[in-house]
Structure formats: structure tokens, C-alpha cells
Amino acid sequence: MSDVEQYARARIVTDSDEAPAVPAVLSYDGRVHVTVPEEGDWYFTRELLEQGLRAPTTVGDIHIWPCGRVQAVMEFHSPKGVAVVQFEKKALVRFLRRTYTTATPVAH
């Protein structure tokens, strides 16, 4: 069970003019877990998300970058292909704040 769980609206970036909106789930239990229906699940550090909200950041197959003042984009590479997902930046910031205020610290 995760310490923090939050639902967020995400847009799948595609070749078409209209990006479909989908309900994504953000959770945290020592690492960030993003679930996007029919696209997949990804795990990464909270620090990667924090950095990606300020400037383009890449670790392995995950890329995160700000997109204007109100959006952020996550790009996930896997053997199945590439998923590009756009979020409202304020939802991600709210999620990050909750991870610091309600999550149990991870023992090292």
C-alpha cells in the first residue's frame, strides 16, 4: 500500500489533433509510481519528478520536462514503444507536497 495516492487528469500525446484525457494515478511509497490506463506503470525517484518540473531531466527510459507555465510532460520508453503524457503542473506539485507531509520516511 502506498503512503500517498492521488488521481490526476493526464493527456496522452498522439499524432492526432486531440489528445485524449485519461485518469492517471500517482502514488508514493518511497518512490513515485505513475499509472496511466492502457499505457502502463512506471516507477522513479521523487527527485526526478521535482527536477523535471523545473528543467528537462532524464534518467534511463524516463524523461520529464516543463511545458510552458502550467503543463509538464513525462515520456516513458519501453520495449512496447513510447508513451508521452501531459499533466497539469499544479497537480504534480500538489502530489509532491503530499509526499513530504504525509509519507513515512524511508529507512536507509
Side-chain angles (χ1 to χ4, degrees), residues 58-80:
T58 299
V59 171
D61 294 333
I62 300 173
H63 311 275
I64 303 174
W65 66 91
C67 182
R69 295 176 58 155
V70 297
Q71 304 288 329
V73 175
M74 296 183 190
E75 181 177 293
F76 305 104
H77 294 253
S78 74
K80 294 185 340 184

Side-chain angles (χ1 to χ4, degrees), residues 26 46 58 68 74 92 94:
L26 305 167
R46 180 169 52 188
T58 299
M74 296 183 190
L92 298 176
R94 184 172 45 249

Side-chain angles (χ1 to χ4, degrees), residues 35-106:
T35 302
V36 179
E38 300 194 29
E39 293 295 326
D41 293 284
W42 299 275
Y43 295 87
F44 51 91
T45 66
R46 180 169 52 188
E47 291 75 19
L48 177 66
L49 179 55
E50 290 172 332
Q51 293 168 3
L53 293 177
R54 293 188 302 271
T57 305
T58 299
V59 171
D61 294 333
I62 300 173
H63 311 275
I64 303 174
W65 66 91
C67 182
R69 295 176 58 155
V70 297
Q71 304 288 329
V73 175
M74 296 183 190
E75 181 177 293
F76 305 104
H77 294 253
S78 74
K80 294 185 340 184
V82 177
V84 181
V85 184
Q86 188 175 47
F87 289 89
E88 292 287 329
K89 199 182 291 187
K90 67 182 177 183
L92 298 176
V93 169
R94 184 172 45 249
F95 169 73
L96 279 172
R97 284 187 187 138
R98 289 185 61 219
T99 69
Y100 282 108
T101 59
T102 61
T104 305
V106 177

